[in-house]
Amino acid sequence: VAARTAQNMESSLAVPTATSVRAVPAKLLIDNRIVINNHLKRGRGGKVSFTHLIGYAIVKALAAMPEMNSAYTEVDGKPVLVRPEHVNFGLAIDLQKPDGTRQLVVPSIKAADTLDFRQFWAAYEEIVRKARGNKLTIEDYQGTTISLTNPGTIGTVHSVPRLMPGQGTIIGVGAMEYPAEFAGASSETLSRMGISKVMTLTSTYDHRIIQGAQSGDFLRRIHQLLLGEDGFYDEIFEALRIPYEPVRWVKDISATHEDDVAKVARVHELIHAYRVRGHLMADTDPLEYKQRRHPDLDILQHGLTLWDLEREFATGGFGGKPTMKLRDILGVLRMAYCRTVGIEYMHIQDPEERAWIQERVEIPHDKPSREEQLHVLRRLNSAEAFETFLQTKFVGQKRFSLEGGESVIPLLDSVISAAARSSLDEVVIGMAHRGRLNVLANIVGKSYAQIFGEFEGNLDPRSAQGSGDVKYHLGAEGDFVAEDGSKIHTELVANPSHLETVDPVLEGVVRAKQDLLDVGEAGFTVLPILIHGDAAFAGQGV
């Protein structure tokens, strides 16, 4: 390999190159990467690096300027311009071996111009994984048309790489740093002045086939894309199914010291807008992906920009802190109001009730511990296994399956466990037919033998006889045992076929139980849980 590298370096001397250099503000790139990675962390996992985004910008820029993907060769001693059909995107990967020596390999992502960002990201990670595992093949090196090298990862600001025969261009990406003259400034000063980190892009090209103006124009095109032109970040957000808009590049809105109060007022307007309208941007449609936006929730509409994200504002106690960066304020607001649950409560007249909800909703999100996640998984498994067994064993029988709504089991488990820990007296559940048997088995504790017996036609002779789905009308009671061993009496109320009446009946049952207990100052110790029928999609009942 070392001999081959030496040979490549020798042959690169025959390529007459020149280099264009351009400095690009990295502020928008940094901000959108934070949004992307926060979203990935909450869901599928993984991380997007700056090089993923810059590499994708180079591929998109080549669509507008395909001449930068060309190469020079000679046939029978005559110069020929090669125009490849696709972009085979080379990545310069610096590998450190166990003995401390370093080796540079440049495999390529084939037909990168045909990939969306998610596919490009996966192909990039696969190439790096193969390189680190020493599993690259000859095919991985062949046919590279343009390369990217990233000396910025080791802090180099600017480099002029070598260009191999068979390629027209190699792009170098320098480190992201604040301009040197601001090296001594505090982060508050940099935020107040709206100073962005800068990275240097270099384009080293074969001067026989590419002119300096073309190379400079190519860097300008990459610069424009990295500042969000032509929907660059929108396309990335769509490929990753991130349900809100990317951060937009706009100039900072100047604010003198006298205007500081006005900016704080705008931040408070934004917080209020999220409390009132946040549910309109919540991701509550599992069938269709779309980017959600609402003008009232756009920071640009409130006279705030990406330059304000790192600035601190007085919040009046929002999020439990006297001052917060706008980025953190937006993080808490989106977490509380714009994830997969919509919450609308600002119409409530009583300020104490509103404050009660805010205290419980506007808090930073803690990821569940490994034990909690495994507990949820076990609950989902038991719900799934029960339905699968019924489907296999009692084919053709009416069974109002929970399939598609299995998450109601861990959800009920969580709510009732909290009630048990709080030493409430009882939990009473009212629900429609769908998923009822699963709740009886996995939550209320009705024995499997009894449920399967009812499928075999063995009904309790004391219960009122009815149609074939009588088992769905019956109530049941039992003891729910939480994971920590605490117990609580749990009852599922009986209900007729008129499902819309079950919830008001349940409230009456609970009121009667509370009157009988009459615990006085202790308040209400019977917890009613009302589960509505599935109104989410047309054709699925009321």
Side-chain angles (χ1 to χ4, degrees):
V1 172
R4 185 61 201 257
T5 303
Q7 190 186 332
N8 285 344
M9 288 299 117
E10 289 286 337
S11 57
S12 76
L13 293 171
V15 182
T17 60
T19 301
S20 312
V21 182
R22 188 178 184 105
V24 178
K27 171 77 174 157
L28 190 69
L29 188 62
I30 292 167
D31 285 339
N32 273 318
R33 178 174 171 261
I34 289 172
V35 175
I36 290 167
N37 284 338
N38 282 346
H39 178 79
L40 291 173
K41 188 168 74 177
R42 280 187 300 273
R44 54 160 284 172
K47 256 189 178 175
V48 166
S49 72
F50 292 116
T51 321
H52 290 137
L53 297 166
I54 296 162
Y56 193 62
I58 293 168
V59 174
K60 299 304 285 182
L62 285 170
M65 298 188 67
E67 62 271 21
M68 298 302 292
N69 197 42
S70 302
Y72 174 93
T73 190
E74 290 183 0
V75 177
D76 300 332
K78 292 180 180 175
V80 174
L81 179 65
V82 179
R83 290 197 174 93
E85 190 180 349
H86 289 296
V87 176
N88 294 338
F89 187 74
L91 293 171
I93 302 170
D94 182 53
L95 299 176
Q96 189 162 10
K97 294 185 175 177
D99 61 1
T101 57
R102 303 187 88 100
Q103 177 191 342
L104 184 73
V105 296
V106 190
S108 61
I109 298 170
K110 303 296 186 272
D113 51 317
T114 62
L115 309 177
D116 69 14
F117 181 75
R118 184 190 282 271
Q119 295 162 332
F120 178 80
W121 177 37
Y124 183 113
E125 289 298 291
E126 175 63 12
I127 282 281
V128 172
R129 190 181 60 74
K130 283 170 81 172
R132 301 245 186 274
N134 205 18
K135 293 198 172 86
L136 290 170
T137 62
I138 291 295
E139 286 78 38
D140 290 318
Y141 294 105
Q142 286 173 337
T144 304
T145 60
I146 187 168
S147 296
L148 168 69
T149 180
N150 188 5
T153 52
I154 51 175
T156 306
V157 175
H158 176 294
S159 78
V160 180
R162 302 300 309 164
L163 185 64
M164 296 297 123
Q167 295 179 40
T169 315
I170 183 167
I171 304 293
V173 179
M176 291 180 192
E177 301 287 355
Y178 285 109
E181 56 269 34
F182 295 104
S186 69
S187 55
E188 288 80 14
T189 305
L190 293 167
S191 298
R192 181 174 275 279
M193 292 172 69
I195 308 293
S196 168
K197 282 187 174 179
V198 173
M199 68 176 177
T200 309
L201 294 181
T202 59
S203 164
T204 300
Y205 55 95
D206 187 335
H207 216 331
R208 292 170 296 189
I209 56 168
I210 293 167
Q211 299 309 310
Q214 289 172 303
S215 173
D217 205 25
F218 185 58
L219 289 180
R220 182 174 69 94
R221 183 78 198 115
I222 297 169
H223 183 150
Q224 288 168 340
L225 290 171
L226 292 176
L227 292 192
E229 289 191 19
D230 295 337
F232 176 69
Y233 292 108
D234 295 80
E235 198 176 310
I236 290 171
F237 275 46
E238 191 171 326
L240 297 174
R241 297 181 76 82
I242 298 176
Y244 22 75
E245 288 197 312
V247 182
R248 304 291 185 199
W249 175 265
V250 286
K251 288 197 171 173
D252 190 14
I253 297 169
S254 172
T256 59
H257 190 54
E258 293 74 39
D259 293 334
D260 278 357
V261 174
K263 275 218 168 173
V264 171
R266 288 175 201 160
V267 171
H268 281 272
E269 274 179 15
L270 182 67
I271 292 171
H272 181 74
Y274 266 88
R275 286 169 172 169
V276 177
R277 304 254 187 277
H279 63 281
L280 297 176
M281 242 169 60
D283 185 11
T284 52
D285 182 355
L287 290 186
E288 186 183 18
Y289 164 78
K290 62 175 183 290
Q291 275 189 5
R292 306 184 309 275
R293 64 181 308 277
H294 192 283
D296 286 353
L297 306 178
D298 186 348
I299 65 168
L300 301 179
Q301 299 285 339
H302 292 271
L304 300 163
T305 65
L306 75 163
W307 302 98
D308 293 308
L309 290 172
E310 293 300 326
R311 293 172 182 159
E312 291 220 338
F313 296 97
T315 61
F318 170 82
K321 295 178 185 170
T323 62
M324 282 172 89
K325 286 182 178 174
L326 180 60
R327 179 189 308 290
D328 298 332
I329 292 172
L330 277 171
V332 173
L333 287 170
R334 279 192 166 163
M335 190 64 73
Y337 300 112
C338 303
R339 294 282 170 250
T340 50
V341 174
I343 170 168
E344 190 178 4
Y345 67 95
M346 288 297 281
H347 55 279
I348 294 173
Q349 301 293 320
D350 187 335
E352 275 186 45
E353 289 181 11
R354 289 201 305 269
W356 187 93
I357 292 171
Q358 278 160 17
E359 279 165 27
R360 283 151 183 82
V361 169
E362 294 174 350
I363 51 174
H365 171 71
D366 288 326
K367 196 174 178 182
S369 66
R370 186 167 185 274
E371 288 68 35
E372 275 183 271
Q373 290 186 30
L374 285 170
H375 178 62
V376 169
L377 182 64
R378 283 193 293 272
R379 282 314 220 168
L380 286 171
N381 277 341
S382 58
E384 172 74 19
F386 181 77
E387 295 296 346
T388 308
F389 180 82
L390 288 184
Q391 166 71 4
T392 315
K393 185 76 176 164
F394 302 107
V395 180
Q397 289 233 32
K398 220 185 245 188
R399 61 183 236 287
F400 299 106
S401 160
L402 180 67
E403 282 163 327
E406 288 89 353
S407 54
V408 82
I409 298 295
L411 188 66
L412 279 172
D413 178 89
S414 178
V415 172
I416 301 174
S417 294
R421 283 194 298 273
S422 303
S423 304
L424 295 186
D425 286 321
E426 194 175 345
V427 168
V428 189
I429 305 169
M431 68 185 298
H433 292 355
R434 177 147 323 277
R436 190 180 184 86
L437 295 181
N438 213 311
V439 171
L440 283 169
N442 287 311
I443 299 293
V444 181
K446 185 170 179 176
S447 77
Y448 290 127
Q450 211 177 336
I451 293 172
F452 301 150
E454 287 172 6
F455 269 103
E456 302 285 4
N458 309 329
L459 288 172
D460 181 350
R462 288 165 301 178
S463 71
Q465 294 299 314
S467 68
D469 65 349
V470 71
K471 52 186 166 289
Y472 293 95
H473 298 168
L474 304 176
E477 50 189 291
D479 285 328
F480 174 87
V481 183
E483 202 182 15
D484 62 1
S486 50
K487 275 187 178 181
I488 188 165
H489 187 67
T490 308
E491 182 179 343
L492 181 66
V493 297
N495 64 323
S497 291
H498 298 289
L499 302 180
E500 68 273 17
T501 64
V502 64
D503 285 341
V505 167
L506 169 72
E507 290 177 15
V509 168
V510 170
R511 174 59 190 263
K513 283 177 182 285
Q514 290 183 156
D515 286 350
L516 286 170
L517 281 167
D518 194 16
V519 289
E521 290 300 311
F524 307 108
T525 59
V526 181
L527 177 71
I529 300 180
L530 288 67
I531 304 174
H532 288 268
D534 22 20
F537 308 121
Q540 272 208 330
V542 176

